[in-house]
């Protein structure tokens, strides 16, 4: 898969794309990143990419010509490219959107900056994505969030399919707690069940911990998580218990 990033700050991406899983994915040939400098697509002598807003007001607006020239160039190379615009008014990014994007043959992630982008650029975009309801200074960090979430879903990138299977089993729930050595850390001990060697009991305990944590911290997730009759039963006993206490 090819992932292109269009930005006024290409240096921003140098280190993040060259670390850990993103680096490994490139080495394995699963993904190739290109960081495109928006200023290279400005046609004027001074390579200006922004201008004052029509109608007045503070800040600057990104001009349409360089953005659209870059989008056209990438689409010309690969017409199947999905063009994603990172924007505070986009659709909220989630795991489902990450999976959708991971299925595309190529992505172009367009990073906005300043107060915004000339609205006519919207006509050249396939999807607008926000990573959450907080104000950032630009689309660069959101683009990295998308890159990271999408790249780990490309087949063969994570390597260990065991982790992926386990993840799909716990799909839609918060994680169960993890422990490693030592068994006693400053008086904090590892739950006995994890030392028992009883794999069925361990699996049940982990499932229950995940359900418990989800009910306590993210009950909204339970509405769409795939739950077995045993899961429902366990959640019902938790609800009963809390009713007795209070
Ligand atoms: C004055 C109104 N602002 C919108 C809330 C303007 C504005 C603020 C910040 C326009 C762009 C930005 C920069 N943010 C992004 O480009 C961005 C973003 C974000 O700020 N939060 C969550 N997701 C994203 S994706 C791109």
């Amino acid at each position: 898969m090819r992932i292109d990033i269009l930005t006024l700050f290409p240096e921003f991406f140098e280190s993040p794309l060259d670390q850990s899983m993103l680096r490994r994915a490139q080495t394995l040939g699963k993904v190739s990143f290109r960081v495109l400098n928006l200023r290279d697509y400005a046609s004027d002598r001074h390579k200006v990419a922004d201008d004052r807003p029509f109608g007045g007001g503070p800040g600057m607006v990104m001009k349409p010509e360089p953005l659209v020239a870059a989008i056209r160039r990438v689409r010309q190379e690969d017409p199947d490219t999905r063009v994603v615009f990172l924007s505070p008014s986009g659709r909220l990014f989630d795991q489902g959107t990450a999976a959708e994007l991971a299925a595309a043959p190529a992505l172009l992630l367009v990073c906005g900056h300043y107060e915004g982008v000339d609205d006519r650029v919207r006509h050249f975009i396939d999807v607008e994505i926000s990573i959450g309801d907080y104000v950032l200074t630009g689309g660069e960090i959101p683009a990295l969030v998308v890159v990271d979430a999408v790249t780990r879903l490309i087949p063969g990138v994570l390597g260990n399919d065991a982790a992926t299977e386990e993840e799909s089993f716990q799909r839609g729930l918060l994680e169960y707690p993890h422990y490693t050595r030592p068994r006693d850390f400053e008086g904090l001990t590892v739950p006995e069940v994890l030392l028992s060697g009883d794999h069925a009991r361990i699996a049940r305990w982990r499932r229950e911990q995940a359900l418990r944590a989800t009910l306590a911290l993210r009950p909204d997730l339970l509405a769409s998580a795939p739950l077995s009759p045993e899961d429902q039963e366990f959640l019902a006993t938790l609800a009963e218990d809390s009713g007795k206490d209070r």
Side-chain angles (χ1 to χ4, degrees), residues 58 85-93 110-117 128-143 146:
F85 177 46
L86 289 312
S87 149
S89 43
R91 126 152 88 119
L92 209 52
F93 189 58
V110 180
C111 305
H113 222 86
Y114 304 112
E115 291 306 299
V117 171
E128 270 185 57
I129 288 177
S130 161
I131 63 161
D133 294 336
Y134 34 78
V135 182
L136 302 170
T137 58
E140 281 76 17
I141 287 171
V146 170

Side-chain angles (χ1 to χ4, degrees), residues 151-170:
T151 303
R152 66 182 287 286
L153 292 178
I154 299 171
V157 166
L158 276 189
N160 60 341
D161 277 325
T164 327
E165 265 171 52
E166 174 117 340
E167 184 172 283
S168 82
F169 173 67
Q170 303 294 346

Side-chain angles (χ1 to χ4, degrees), residues 39-163:
R39 281 170 75 90
D40 292 344
Y41 297 85
S43 52
D44 64 300
R45 198 162 60 87
H46 297 289
K47 304 224 171 270
V48 171
D50 63 323
D51 206 342
R52 288 157 36 216
F54 275 126
M60 299 291 269
V61 175
M62 286 169 75
K63 293 165 63 61
E65 301 94 325
L67 283 160
V68 171
I71 292 168
R72 285 207 170 109
R73 176 75 64 82
V74 170
R75 276 225 180 89
Q76 212 174 321
E77 289 172 11
D78 185 347
D80 296 326
T81 304
R82 291 285 306 276
V83 180
V84 178
F85 177 46
L86 289 312
S87 149
S89 43
R91 126 152 88 119
L92 209 52
F93 189 58
D94 64 10
Q95 194 62 22
T97 309
E100 258 173 51
L101 296 181
L107 299 178
L108 171 60
L109 307 179
V110 180
C111 305
H113 222 86
Y114 304 112
E115 291 306 299
V117 171
D118 187 299
D119 205 66
R120 292 165 291 188
V121 172
R122 194 167 269 154
H123 295 283
F124 301 85
I125 295 291
D126 294 315
V127 58
E128 270 185 57
I129 288 177
S130 161
I131 63 161
D133 294 336
Y134 34 78
V135 182
L136 302 170
T137 58
E140 281 76 17
I141 287 171
L144 282 174
V145 167
V146 170
V147 163
D148 196 85
V150 166
T151 303
R152 66 182 287 286
L153 292 178
I154 299 171
V157 166
L158 276 189
N160 60 341
D161 277 325

